Amino acid sequence: MLIELTLAAGLSTMQHATYKLQPYLQDRSAYYTVQHGLPDAPVLTLAIAGETLYAGTAKGVAVAPLSQPDRWRMVSNQPVRALIPDDSGGVYGIGGQTLFQLNARGETRTLYTADAELIGLQAAQGGGLWLLTPQKLLRYENGAIQAAHDAPTNRQFRWFHQDTRGRVFAFAEGELERRMYVLKPSPPAPLPQRGRGESTPPSPTLWERGGGGVRAEWQPVPIADNRGRYYDDAWLCAASDALGHLWIGARSGLILGDGEGWFLSREVYDGAPTAPAAPTTELIPPYGFIRCLAFAPNGDLWAGTPEGACRLRAGRWSYFWGKRWLPANQVYAIAVDSQNRAWIATDRGVACIESVKMTLREKAEHYEKMIALRHNRNGFVTNCDWDDPNDPDGWKIEASDNDGLWTAVYCAAQAFQYAATKDLAARERARKSFHALLELERLTGIPGFPARSIIRKDETRYYQSHGEWHESPVDPNYIWKGDTSSDELDGHYFIWAVYYDLCADDAEKERIRGVVRRVTDHLMQNNWRLIDKDGKPTRWAIFNPEAINDDPIWEEERGLNSLSILSHLKVAYHITGDAKYQQAYEELIRKHHYLINAVTQKMLPPYSINHSDDQLAFLCYYPFLLYETNPEYRRIWLMSLERSWQIERPERSPLFNFIYGALTGKPCDVEAAVQTLQEWPLDLRNWECRNSHRLDVTLDPSKGRFGEWQSVQIVPYSERVVMRWNGNPYRLDGGDPLGRREDDGSAFLLPYWMGRYHRLIEE
């Protein structure tokens, strides 16, 4: 381990309890639209019959094999409102006033024509079908209507449900009132007296016609207990579980009942949760207006809303919104197959969301394949972009402001992987990126001045970021980008330390000593500033005491820049062994109180919260605290790290947690870090995500640095816009509706392999 190679004895003997990783369920999505054969119309209903998926629209019915869901074909032009499977691989359907039966070959048979529009369809327990019109509930069997139940007086039906116990519920609405009713037997009429020897005829069953009509009536479902009662009576659908509990989708959320008047409200009404604690702990669903509910064989409850789909699993809601998950957010119906895959009908197609067993190592390999395909530009690794997001092969890689920093993060991940596994392929990936980073300093022609980015003139598949670009005086085939920032230097010193200790051979170590000496000398000779081609300091690489301590403009950067330059000097001393760097380090501490500055490097209100600085600080803490052996200095530095980590702790960042754990040997919320790694989405395109409208999110009254809505607690990383560890994890909304940018996955890879290397996690 790096600790064993480079640290004082006290740190080298630190022991961590290793968290053993297990396979987990990874959500992934695929969706199907007109490009796959679906009609150009909202999909209103879905049914799974055998191995075939049926989709009903106003333009007809399309089918696809469950094993080939990208191959849809139209089989009927019958407009459809609802579909349910029959017993022979086909479906029953309603459209307009018609009940019909349809098989996979497209053969349609009309079974019944009602005298009003059919608005509901369900298989009846004991045989036959339930049909609903606004005025009647009908039971159809053997080619005829066997029972008819009128709506309550002055009411119209909106929906109905027969639960797993056989009870029939219907929701009806009048001019001034909405209520749910249950169909119950009518009190029996008195029987006439019989003479001796005359038998008493059996009473009619609940669903049989008798001489006086059907012996059943609608009774309102009462409220048996006000403590858990519902707050809003605008109910939209219902489903029942295996125990016979009734789950009701409502405008205001979700209501759980026993069907006899006992309710548990999970609603938000008039903007306030009805549950006394935080919405997330009280199972408030992410959104209301729940218009469809479906149970999976494994017990998952799926809910469809006008703003995406929700899933309740093991007491935790997940929210699926935007094109990371769905072709559109208007969800009309959900069907779940025998493999627990949810098929979701939207106004622009059908999505399939499934949870597959995966390991974090397999997820890391997924990102590596993606990086190799479209994120590695001659060793530089960063995001890629599409002008046309519908052209999968039309991507280009940005020659960005931060090629040094982002490539350093990727390169460090490969170095940690090599150190943890001795995988030579990881070492080769690290070497390619590290040598690219060395070129950033060489090609500027200014000793000790690394460029932000370089471009070879004959390159393709890239686009040039804005800013100042110069011809390289060293190699006319290149141009380089100037105005290099302190962010870039933080990345360079971090990777110089990590690569030097974990990967470098003797020749590479000599090159590292050279570049570290040149850059550090450049800073020292220019009053702790990075001087650009024009002879002027760059905008952000300012570390001198006159600015950091005395200029109010730099007050918010005082702590971070003090931490950065001291970390850089400690790295320089470790790599070169030159005592002048240690002497400069001590001078900045003793004469200019940089160590005191660094204790509060994380700025809090009334200063603005700059999440970008958090990543830079932790990248500086890492090598610095590995190399600092003076116990008095370490005591102060650990104060700084402890304060910073406690502030960042609620974010569940695996990078910050693992750096803290590796440097201190203390518990570092490994389980929370693993949860974040598991939540990291497989699809890293910057799809638009929106969470500020959610019922289960508490808004922070203070907005973010850029005026963005924030939450008090972070939402799961799978439900927010893709970010690196320089982003705001409390941000609720953002991203691109077209998903024209894709992140490279290094924000996952670095903490995963760092955790593996330090044996905080094991797989």
Side-chain angles (χ1 to χ4, degrees):
M1 293 175 63
L2 177 56
I3 288 177
E4 296 168 343
L5 293 172
T6 61
L7 293 191
L11 272 181
S12 66
T13 57
M14 286 193 306
Q15 298 294 319
H16 303 98
T18 301
Y19 183 92
K20 296 188 182 300
L21 298 171
Q22 301 295 329
Y24 68 100
L25 292 177
Q26 172 68 50
D27 288 328
R28 66 184 183 188
S29 174
Y31 47 79
Y32 311 98
T33 64
V34 292
Q35 297 177 340
H36 304 96
L38 282 166
D40 184 15
V43 179
L44 304 176
T45 180
L46 292 168
I48 298 169
E51 295 301 313
T52 302
L53 182 63
Y54 290 76
T57 76
K59 293 185 177 181
V61 181
V63 300
L66 284 174
S67 59
Q68 295 177 306
D70 58 340
R71 298 187 179 183
W72 289 89
R73 59 187 177 89
M74 293 294 296
V75 294
S76 171
N77 59 5
Q78 167 72 49
V80 176
R81 180 173 184 139
L83 296 170
I84 62 172
D86 63 18
D87 296 328
S88 57
V91 292
Y92 296 110
I94 55 173
Q97 297 173 231
T98 303
L99 169 68
F100 62 90
Q101 189 172 20
L102 172 70
N103 62 30
R105 297 186 299 277
E107 298 167 344
T108 304
R109 184 164 62 99
T110 297
L111 302 179
Y112 172 71
T113 302
D115 58 5
E117 182 185 10
L118 293 169
I119 62 173
L121 172 66
Q122 185 181 349
Q125 290 189 24
L129 303 170
W130 289 110
L131 306 174
L132 188 70
T133 75
Q135 295 78 32
K136 294 180 184 292
L137 177 67
L138 310 170
R139 190 171 69 84
Y140 172 90
E141 188 175 15
N142 298 326
I145 299 299
Q146 303 297 326
H149 307 281
D150 293 334
T153 305
N154 298 324
R155 303 284 189 271
Q156 286 194 331
F157 288 128
R158 296 293 180 244
W159 53 266
F160 81 101
H161 174 70
Q162 185 174 28
D163 72 4
T164 53
R165 292 166 56 183
R167 300 173 297 178
V168 177
F169 298 90
F171 188 79
E173 190 169 357
E175 184 176 351
L176 299 176
E177 185 183 41
R178 296 180 287 250
R179 295 202 71 167
M180 189 165 74
Y181 296 82
V182 60
L183 193 61
K184 289 196 171 182
S186 301
L191 294 176
Q193 294 292 325
R194 300 281 176 179
R196 180 172 299 193
E198 292 182 343
S199 62
T200 301
S203 299
T205 64
L206 186 60
W207 311 126
E208 291 177 335
R209 286 187 181 277
V214 175
R215 298 286 180 87
E217 65 181 12
W218 294 107
Q219 296 181 11
V221 176
I223 298 172
D225 175 58
N226 276 318
R227 180 178 166 207
R229 65 157 293 163
Y230 54 87
Y231 280 71
D232 186 5
D233 62 0
W235 297 354
L236 307 176
C237 65
S240 50
D241 59 26
L243 299 176
H245 294 139
L246 201 62
W247 300 73
I248 301 165
R251 175 174 61 184
S252 53
L254 185 70
I255 300 161
L256 174 60
D258 66 350
E260 302 294 334
W262 201 268
F263 295 98
L264 176 65
S265 164
R266 302 295 88 178
E267 301 169 89
V268 170
Y269 190 57
D270 282 346
T274 58
T280 49
T281 60
E282 288 298 328
L283 301 179
I284 302 296
Y287 197 70
F289 292 92
I290 296 172
R291 55 166 59 130
C292 59
L293 290 163
F295 277 100
N298 65 359
D300 290 348
L301 176 63
W302 285 88
T305 81
E307 289 285 355
C310 320
R311 182 190 64 211
L312 181 61
R313 171 184 289 168
R316 178 178 295 177
W317 283 102
S318 298
Y319 188 42
F320 303 92
W321 189 99
K323 289 193 174 179
R324 178 182 296 160
W325 303 108
L326 305 170
N329 292 315
Q330 284 273 3
V331 175
Y332 294 102
I334 299 175
V336 187
D337 66 21
S338 60
Q339 300 177 52
N340 299 302
R341 296 179 297 182
W343 299 86
I344 301 173
T346 78
D347 53 341
R348 294 187 183 175
V350 175
C352 176
I353 297 178
E354 63 178 332
S355 301
V356 295
K357 270 197 172 181
M358 180 174 277
T359 65
L360 291 181
R361 175 66 183 268
E362 289 170 339
K363 183 181 276 191
E365 291 169 353
H366 164 79
Y367 296 139
E368 287 293 357
K369 291 176 183 176
M370 190 176 70
I371 289 168
L373 179 64
R374 54 178 177 263
H375 289 275
N376 195 318
R377 183 178 66 87
N378 303 317
F380 294 108
V381 173
T382 187
N383 54 268
C384 71
D385 296 75
W386 285 266
D387 291 326
D388 179 2
N390 295 315
D391 177 11
D393 197 42
W395 52 268
K396 293 181 180 179
I397 301 175
E398 181 183 17
S400 77
D401 274 3
N402 296 110
D403 276 5
L405 175 59
W406 302 139
T407 302
V409 168
Y410 173 74
C411 185
Q414 305 310 304
F416 283 121
Q417 181 180 358
Y418 170 69
T421 66
K422 302 307 176 186
D423 184 340
L424 295 179
R427 184 179 188 181
E428 188 54 37
R429 291 192 295 268
R431 178 164 289 160
K432 180 178 179 180
S433 288
F434 188 77
H435 287 194
L437 289 167
L438 293 177
E439 290 293 276
L440 291 175
E441 187 259 349
R442 185 182 76 86
L443 289 171
T444 65
I446 305 171
F449 186 93
R452 283 182 177 270
S453 181
I454 58 174
I455 297 173
R456 187 176 174 87
K457 293 179 180 178
D458 60 358
E459 275 188 64
T460 58
R461 289 281 197 178
Y462 79 93
Y463 70 95
Q464 186 173 320
S465 59
H466 299 294
E468 58 174 75
W469 289 85
H470 310 285
E471 297 280 334
S472 171
V474 178
D475 188 335
N477 294 309
Y478 285 88
I479 58 174
W480 61 275
K481 186 173 186 178
D483 197 26
T484 303
S485 70
S486 56
D487 302 32
E488 297 296 287
L489 289 183
D490 292 343
H492 283 295
Y493 278 93
F494 172 70
I495 190 56
W496 290 337
V498 170
Y499 192 89
Y500 184 91
D501 286 331
L502 300 184
C503 278
D505 59 25
D506 289 343
E508 289 173 323
K509 286 187 175 182
E510 188 60 35
R511 290 190 68 186
I512 296 170
R513 283 190 284 269
V515 70
V516 168
R517 189 181 293 277
R518 288 192 298 274
V519 174
T520 312
D521 288 351
H522 177 108
L523 292 168
M524 294 176 67
Q525 293 162 9
N526 289 286
N527 191 24
W528 306 110
R529 299 172 300 170
L530 201 58
I531 304 300
D532 210 334
K533 177 181 169 65
D534 58 6
K536 299 178 182 179
T538 64
R539 172 68 181 88
W540 294 107
I542 304 292
F543 305 97
N544 58 308
E546 304 86 66
I548 295 302
N549 287 335
D550 302 329
D551 189 341
I553 293 175
W554 288 93
E555 183 177 5
E556 292 192 35
E557 303 296 327
R558 177 183 296 161
L560 177 62
N561 283 24
S562 296
L563 167 62
S564 294
I565 195 62
L566 292 176
S567 177
H568 302 344
L569 287 167
K570 185 59 70 173
V571 169
Y573 177 56
H574 168 76
I575 288 176
T576 68
D578 193 328
K580 71 179 180 182
Y581 302 125
Q582 179 66 20
Q583 292 166 2
Y585 167 83
E586 294 184 358
E587 181 177 340
L588 290 175
I589 290 175
R590 292 175 179 174
K591 290 183 63 176
H592 302 289
H593 44 78
Y594 272 32
L595 181 54
I596 295 175
N597 291 348
V599 171
T600 55
Q601 68 80 23
K602 172 64 177 179
M603 303 301 290
L604 296 174
Y607 301 101
S608 62
I609 302 297
N610 186 347
H611 293 276
S612 179
D613 288 350
D614 300 335
Q615 175 179 246
L616 304 177
F618 276 80
L619 293 184
C620 290
Y621 280 132
Y622 181 77
F624 175 67
L625 275 165
L626 290 179
Y627 304 148
E628 179 54 81
T629 59
N630 183 311
E632 295 304 317
Y633 287 154
R634 284 190 60 79
R635 179 173 58 84
I636 304 299
W637 281 119
L638 289 172
M639 285 173 54
S640 176
L641 175 60
E642 184 71 29
R643 175 182 179 273
S644 297
W645 183 67
Q646 292 295 347
I647 294 170
E648 307 304 332
R649 191 175 185 178
E651 299 177 9
R652 291 198 280 113
S653 166
L655 180 62
F656 303 161
N657 287 11
F658 290 165
I659 287 176
Y660 175 81
L663 296 176
T664 66
K666 296 180 180 179
C668 60
D669 293 352
V670 173
E671 288 189 12
V674 169
Q675 180 184 344
T676 297
L677 293 173
Q678 291 174 347
E679 289 174 354
W680 215 251
L682 292 177
D683 181 353
L684 294 183
R685 288 173 69 171
N686 69 327
W687 296 112
E688 180 184 16
C689 293
R690 191 155 66 85
N691 293 287
S692 58
H693 63 293
R694 291 173 60 162
L695 303 183
D696 62 340
V697 166
T698 303
L699 293 179
D700 189 335
S702 62
K703 293 188 177 180
R705 181 182 172 206
F706 302 106
E708 69 270 26
W709 284 109
Q710 301 184 117
S711 54
V712 172
Q713 297 174 315
I714 62 168
V715 299
Y717 284 89
S718 57
E719 298 169 16
R720 49 153 298 121
V721 69
V722 168
M723 60 170 272
R724 301 177 189 265
W725 295 115
N726 67 331
N728 178 0
Y730 298 96
R731 180 180 180 179
L732 290 170
D733 305 333
D736 178 5
L738 299 178
R740 287 170 290 193
R741 169 164 289 191
E742 183 179 67
D743 190 60
D744 56 65
S746 297
F748 173 95
L749 293 172
L750 175 56
Y752 171 70
W753 286 114
M754 177 185 281
R756 288 281 306 273
Y757 167 70
H758 282 290
R759 297 184 183 175
L760 295 166
I761 56 176
E762 181 180 278
E763 190 168 39

